């Protein structure tokens, strides 16, 4: 009887722990971007943060949601993707507003065809197709252009998924693409820091939270027997996080001379 009575009270505790872990999975991915968001708002400078981080996370989480339709995984992971997409759109909105405010004389760049109301674009050759110039890709002047790009990606990826949803090979490949893309999350920031020979403007708190969150996430994947693609993603992310923290140490302990770049009003920042 005592043994049976001892087991009873543990059930609610275990359930509470499971709920807590699920809640951490859903909202934990958002937390690292709060200090970076606040820092950008406070300084009105987004140069230290790579908006390509937003691109990677948007693509990865859209693919993960599509993967869910072919292979149902845990609901917290699905909600995490939805909330992360909203968070990245908010980050992009802020970064775009700050960048445009600091570059008033830069010619407007857009994802869609030129707006006839834009006086600056009237003088330039009119484009009838989407602006896929790699030099200006993901460095547009209005938040609406980013939304259009994300919606276009959703439409194409969603259509392909609808056509091939019955193929287990396609579904597994979709899962690999989702986790591989997410595993590259820190690479744009890693490259930006390397190119600038500095981590100035990047929130170290954000990277520390990346590291702790990715470690927790990887353990969660392994313990809950999530699709093995997720565990691989987590391990790769932890390695990239550690590399960025190593950059923080090296550039603070051994400052390097910043690489000079020719100033051109139409030039864009790396990643």
């Amino acid at each position: 009887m005592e043994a049976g009575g001892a087991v009873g009270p543990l059930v609610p505790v275990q359930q509470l722990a499971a709920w807590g872990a699920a809640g951490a999975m859903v909202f934990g991915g958002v937390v690292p971007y709060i200090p970076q968001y606040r820092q950008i708002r406070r300084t009105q400078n987004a140069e230290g943060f790579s908006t390509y981080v937003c691109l990677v996370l948007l693509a990865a989480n859209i693919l993960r949601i599509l993967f869910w339709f072919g292979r149902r995984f845990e609901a917290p992971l699905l909600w995490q993707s939805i909330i992360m997409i909203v968070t990245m759109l908010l980050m992009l909105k802020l970064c775009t507003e700050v960048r445009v405010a600091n570059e008033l004389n830069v010619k407007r760049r857009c994802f869609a065809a030129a707006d006839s109301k834009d006086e600056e674009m009237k003088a330039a050759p009119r484009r009838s197709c989407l602006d896929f110039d790699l030099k200006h890709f993901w460095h547009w002047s209005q938040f609406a252009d980013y939304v259009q790009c994300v919606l276009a990606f959703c439409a194409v990826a969603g259509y392909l998924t609808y056509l091939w949803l019955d193929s287990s090979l396609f579904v597994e490949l979709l899962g690999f693409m989702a986790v591989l893309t997410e595993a590259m999350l820190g690479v744009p920031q890693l490259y930006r820091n390397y190119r600038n020979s500095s981590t100035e403007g990047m929130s170290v708190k954000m990277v520390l939270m990346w590291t702790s969150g990715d470690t927790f996430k990887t353990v969660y994947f392994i313990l809950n027997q999530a699709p093995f693609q997720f565990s691989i993603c987590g391990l790769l992310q932890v390695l990239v996080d550690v590399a960025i923290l190593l950059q923080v140490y090296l550039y603070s302990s051994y400052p390097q001379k910043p690489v000079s770049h020719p100033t051109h009003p139409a030039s864009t920042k790396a990643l």
Side-chain angles (χ1 to χ4, degrees):
M1 294 295 294
E2 289 183 3
V7 174
L10 290 178
V11 175
V13 175
Q14 291 175 348
Q15 186 144 23
L16 286 174
W19 289 344
M25 281 299 302
V26 173
F27 298 103
V30 176
V31 175
Y33 299 95
I34 295 176
Q36 183 69 72
Y37 187 92
R38 294 178 61 185
Q39 182 172 327
I40 293 173
R41 280 185 64 91
R42 186 180 70 254
T43 62
Q44 287 299 296
N45 187 342
E47 296 304 317
F49 175 72
S50 173
T51 54
Y52 276 73
V53 169
C54 301
L55 172 61
V56 170
L57 277 176
L58 284 169
N61 284 283
I62 290 169
L63 292 175
R64 184 194 284 185
I65 291 173
L66 295 175
F67 178 53
W68 182 84
F69 286 100
R71 184 175 175 184
R72 301 296 171 90
F73 47 80
E74 290 191 336
L77 300 179
L78 178 65
W79 281 107
Q80 180 199 44
S81 294
I82 296 172
I83 292 174
M84 184 59 72
I85 289 172
V86 175
T87 302
M88 290 301 100
L89 290 175
L90 291 175
M91 287 292 295
L92 275 176
K93 186 174 187 298
L94 175 64
C95 291
T96 304
E97 291 173 352
V98 169
R99 186 180 67 244
V100 171
N102 293 334
E103 300 178 350
L104 296 177
N105 295 325
V106 176
K107 187 170 75 171
R108 180 175 183 263
R109 299 291 177 182
C110 57
F111 172 75
D115 186 354
S116 60
K117 296 180 182 179
D118 194 325
E119 295 180 0
E120 230 176 286
M121 296 298 290
K122 282 181 182 179
R126 183 74 182 242
R127 294 198 176 202
S128 58
C129 60
L130 300 183
D131 185 1
F132 284 123
D133 187 345
L134 290 179
K135 291 188 298 183
H136 306 294
F137 179 79
W138 209 251
H139 197 80
W140 300 306
S141 305
Q142 291 187 356
F143 174 65
D145 294 306
Y146 293 96
V147 175
Q148 290 175 22
C149 181
V150 171
L151 290 177
F153 178 78
C154 288
V156 173
Y159 180 67
L160 292 175
T161 303
Y162 174 76
L163 291 178
W164 296 92
L165 194 59
D166 294 333
S167 170
S168 59
L169 178 62
F170 175 83
V171 171
E172 292 301 321
L173 181 61
L174 188 65
F176 267 117
M177 289 295 296
V179 297
L180 183 62
T181 304
E182 187 175 355
M184 297 297 105
L185 164 64
V187 173
Q189 191 66 55
L190 185 73
Y191 176 74
R192 188 186 190 97
N193 296 341
Y194 169 77
R195 190 168 187 267
N196 293 340
S197 297
S198 171
T199 56
E200 184 179 357
M202 181 197 73
S203 173
V204 179
K205 290 181 181 179
M206 177 186 71
V207 183
L208 287 172
M209 290 180 183
W210 275 356
T211 309
S212 59
D214 291 337
T215 302
F216 168 81
K217 183 170 62 177
T218 304
V219 174
Y220 179 90
F221 290 155
I222 295 172
L223 293 180
N224 287 274
Q225 298 181 339
F228 70 96
Q229 295 102 320
F230 289 86
S231 300
I232 295 173
C233 165
L235 290 172
L236 289 175
Q237 281 183 279
V238 171
L239 291 176
V240 175
D241 296 340
V242 172
I244 296 176
L245 290 175
L246 184 61
Q247 283 182 323
V248 174
Y249 170 75
L250 290 176
Y251 292 145
S252 60
S253 301
Y254 308 98
Q256 301 182 26
K257 183 179 179 181
V259 179
S260 59
H261 302 287
T263 57
H264 191 282
S267 64
T268 59
K269 308 296 184 298
L271 301 187

